[in-house]
Amino acid sequence: MTAPVTFNGVSHWFGAFHALKNISLEIGEGEYVTLLGPSGCGKTTLLSVLGGFIEPTEGQVLIGGRDLTHVPPAKRPTTTVFQDYALFPHMSLRDNVAFGLRMAGVGRQERRARADEQLALVGLADAAGKRPHELSGGQRQRVALARALAVRPDVLLLDEPLGALDLKLRRAMQDELKDIQRKVGTTFVHVTHDQEEAMAIADRIVVMNAGRVEDEGAPARIYRKPATLFAAGFMGEMNRIPARASGTGVETPFGPVDITPPAEGALVLCLRPEAVKHANGTVLIGPATVRDAAFFGTHCRVHVVPQAAPDLTIVAHLPPDRVPAAGETLALTAEIDAISVFLAG
Ligand code: ATP
């Protein structure tokens, strides 16, 4: 089951603290959306408003076109997967998964069949009789997911669901989560502060900062052409180069660049490390001295100091075939398409 979600001018205050600031957002039926942002930006508060755990001070929440702003969690077509799994230790996995169905008055045989179906979906068909303590962290998280999906919600809410897992397992579970979401077609809204996780999973990323939506869109668009300086900096590593508007172009420490400035005055030119090249780029950075370089398998991460701007250090991801030596001079360019320009400040 699946449904679209609408946040309509949602604001929330905790006492005098303004935690959500006029958020309007559409989430499509069957879409996998991540709410991404730094600690304290309001991700969990927005998810709690969707789940009915927080009644917003202002605005509306619609699920499947129905206004559910004042409807309690148990009466919403939503379920939540938390980071700490919250499984019942004394129950078998099957009983854990069937718990919500029991509460909903579903008969024993159907409960069992549906629980087994969900356990199969998350790859635990053979473990139905086990107890949670017999499982690894990743397996427990899969049971929590099966339990949340067993009641067939229209919208599944996931609050840092992979936060307790080590990095390797986390990456594997990201692939699984996306795969499961494709199979069930339920709308997934997933809170994370990990931009790689958001990019690995989401159809659409909503970047939040200080209670507001800074940017929203497909991961590649947000990465390549972020809407704001904050979104640019939060989605991966970014070089910030001071610049100024000059007529119809932008004046940089390396000379003029043919990009339309967003406004007059002090600007920041944002350049991704992988957009810095040895040659053949469209913007000349010129000779730059290598400060240090590290080999990362897929690329070399190199700090360089451009001779045209000795106060600036630029991070470049260069091909891994050769690790440049400290003190070496490289002739560098950049791809103009990979550059974004914002007002400074
Ligand atoms: P994190 O990733 O750390 O969980 P978050 O983006 O999910 O962060 P929220 O939990 O939504 O952030 O909190 C947003 C802000 O609201 C924070 O500054 C937090 O301290 C504040 N806040 C959250 N819950 C309450 C509450 N019950 N009372 C007062 N302030 C709160």
Side-chain angles (χ1 to χ4, degrees), residues 39-250:
S39 183
C41 72
K43 309 177 294 288
T44 298
T45 306
L46 190 62
L47 201 73
S48 304
V49 165
L50 179 53
F53 303 105
I54 291 178
E55 219 175 294
T57 319
E58 280 173 12
Q60 294 167 303
V61 182
L62 283 71
I63 301 178
R66 285 194 303 138
D67 183 352
L68 301 183
T69 315
H70 307 291
V71 172
K75 297 212 163 132
R76 294 190 184 207
T78 54
T79 47
T80 305
V81 177
F82 298 100
Q83 182 179 328
D84 64 2
Y85 323 128
L87 299 177
F88 299 114
H90 58 284
M91 285 187 190
S92 69
L93 305 191
R94 181 182 287 122
D95 288 345
N96 262 285
V97 173
F99 184 77
L101 300 172
R102 201 167 104 200
M103 292 294 107
V106 175
R108 190 181 157 78
Q109 241 178 352
E110 190 183 343
R111 280 200 320 257
R112 198 182 159 93
R114 272 167 68 177
D116 285 354
E117 187 188 316
Q118 294 306 320
L119 283 169
L121 178 74
V122 299
L124 288 171
D126 298 334
K130 287 191 175 174
R131 299 280 163 95
H133 74 267
E134 296 175 79
L135 304 181
S136 69
Q139 289 170 326
R140 281 181 214 175
Q141 192 51 285
R142 278 190 219 147
V143 177
L145 180 65
R147 184 178 58 182
L149 285 170
V151 295
R152 297 181 179 155
D154 288 339
V155 185
L156 186 74
L157 315 181
L158 304 107
D159 194 356
E160 296 274 6
L162 311 180
L165 306 179
D166 68 49
L167 189 63
K168 202 165 169 207
L169 190 53
R170 205 176 160 118
R171 297 289 175 247
M173 282 296 291
Q174 287 163 5
D175 294 341
E176 267 191 51
L177 265 181
K178 187 165 180 164
D179 197 40
I180 288 167
Q181 193 268 344
R182 294 280 179 271
K183 280 186 193 143
V184 294
T186 304
T187 307
F188 275 32
V189 185
H190 175 136
V191 161
T192 181
H193 60 264
D194 175 352
Q195 54 95 13
E196 273 188 41
E197 179 163 310
M199 287 207 271
I201 289 187
D203 296 320
R204 192 150 56 101
I205 296 176
V206 176
V207 181
M208 293 181 65
N209 180 33
R212 291 184 205 284
V213 172
E214 289 267 341
D215 199 358
E216 50 153 319
R221 202 281 294 146
I222 297 189
Y223 186 82
R224 293 200 188 109
K225 287 284 160 201
T228 67
L229 191 54
F230 178 87
F234 201 76
M235 285 286 282
E237 201 166 24
M238 183 66 98
N239 291 295
R240 291 165 173 239
I241 297 164
R244 292 202 77 79
S246 82
T248 55
V250 172

